[in-house]
Amino acid sequence: MNLGFVVGVFGVLILSHAAYSTIQYRGLLKIMEEEFSRPPMNVILELIIGLALCMWAALTFPGKFLSIHPDSDENRAVSLPDSSEFMIFNHRGRLFPPEIDMKF
Amino acid sequence: MGSSEKRSKDVMSDIPTFSGENLQNNLKVIQNSRTFLSIIAGVLAGIIGFNGLTGFVFYFVVMLITSVGLMAKAGFSADLYFDSWNRVLFDGFLGGLMSFVLFWTFAYDLVHIF
């Protein structure tokens, strides 16, 4: 896929690796019978890197912002055939019998 | 390219017209970004082991960073892409909060309890 998706997957992988490291760290603390206050510094560093990557992916992957001005350069030619001035109603479809729902 | 529909019929009137379909696309982009980042923030809060109010403070910090990021993506000119600034900054805050708490408890259980 495109770059944003790859970066996002990478960020999620880094986060899951950090989670696994924290689980192992807690196991180690249980053996040494100490309290858990915060993850070790390398895990925190991994979490920050993972957060930065995921944030970048979340801002680029869902798509671009499209301009909403009707007279900007990218909205020009497509709006012309859709305005009501160009719609024709006097075609062969008017000869079809109208569909009337008879409800009592 | 998709079609765009005018919000007002009269082009010569003073009512500002804009393409409704593009506005909806932009709102969808914001919603997706915020939801994804709420989930990531929840997983992070669970791994670090936040308890209580600190976790919610963390969520608001991440959402503020997201707002700044979205403003930067819109080039700091909301008029080009949205009809008001409030949409960029405050849309989807509370919906993301529920996803955040869900993944926060999920990750916390996974890392600290099992």
Side-chain angles (χ1 to χ4, degrees):
Chain A
M1 287 256 211
N2 56 357
L3 184 62
F5 185 68
V6 171
V7 170
V9 167
F10 208 56
V12 170
L13 284 179
I14 289 182
L15 282 181
S16 38
H17 178 259
Y20 189 65
S21 306
T22 312
I23 295 176
Q24 280 190 322
Y25 179 68
R26 274 193 75 96
L28 178 69
L29 284 186
K30 271 202 196 97
I31 296 177
M32 300 194 326
E33 290 185 1
E34 289 177 14
E35 282 292 315
F36 175 84
S37 64
R38 58 168 186 79
M41 278 313 291
N42 56 339
V43 170
I44 292 188
L45 190 64
E46 258 187 271
L47 289 176
I48 293 177
I49 294 177
L51 181 66
L53 285 181
C54 285
M55 203 164 275
W56 193 86
L59 289 176
T60 52
F61 180 62
K64 290 170 36 122
F65 282 151
L66 298 175
S67 165
I68 64 171
H69 279 168
D71 45 355
S72 75
D73 285 338
E74 60 207 22
N75 285 345
R76 277 183 66 95
V78 292
S79 61
L80 207 52
D82 286 330
S83 68
S84 57
E85 313 256 279
F86 290 94
M87 290 183 192
I88 307 172
F89 297 107
N90 191 21
H91 52 72
R92 287 178 292 178
R94 69 183 164 92
L95 297 176
F96 284 126
E99 295 165 6
I100 306 175
D101 281 338
M102 306 275 268
K103 287 198 173 82
F104 294 104
Chain B
M1 295 279 269
S3 65
S4 66
E5 45 186 61
K6 293 287 188 286
R7 283 295 194 92
S8 83
K9 300 287 183 205
D10 189 0
V11 188
M12 306 288 281
S13 72
D14 289 339
I15 305 171
T17 67
F18 50 89
S19 161
E21 177 175 314
N22 282 354
L23 179 69
Q24 276 188 345
N25 170 66
N26 295 344
L27 290 178
K28 197 161 58 106
V29 167
I30 299 182
Q31 186 86 351
N32 285 346
S33 296
R34 277 200 193 275
T35 311
F36 179 62
L37 277 176
S38 307
I39 294 177
I40 296 292
V43 171
L44 225 72
I47 293 177
I48 297 179
F50 284 130
N51 277 322
L53 209 56
T54 323
F56 290 102
V57 168
F58 179 70
Y59 171 71
F60 280 114
V61 166
V62 171
M63 280 295 118
L64 280 176
I65 301 178
T66 314
S67 294
V68 171
L70 283 173
M71 281 204 300
K73 179 174 176 156
F76 292 104
S77 65
D79 300 331
L80 206 55
Y81 300 114
F82 301 98
D83 52 352
S84 80
W85 264 114
N86 296 336
R87 288 194 192 271
V88 180
L89 298 179
F90 302 120
D91 203 28
F93 234 78
L94 294 182
L97 186 66
M98 292 196 278
S99 307
F100 169 77
V101 171
L102 178 68
F103 278 87
W104 179 15
T105 49
F106 179 59
Y108 191 89
D109 291 343
L110 210 59
V111 172
H112 297 282
I113 298 186
F114 285 125

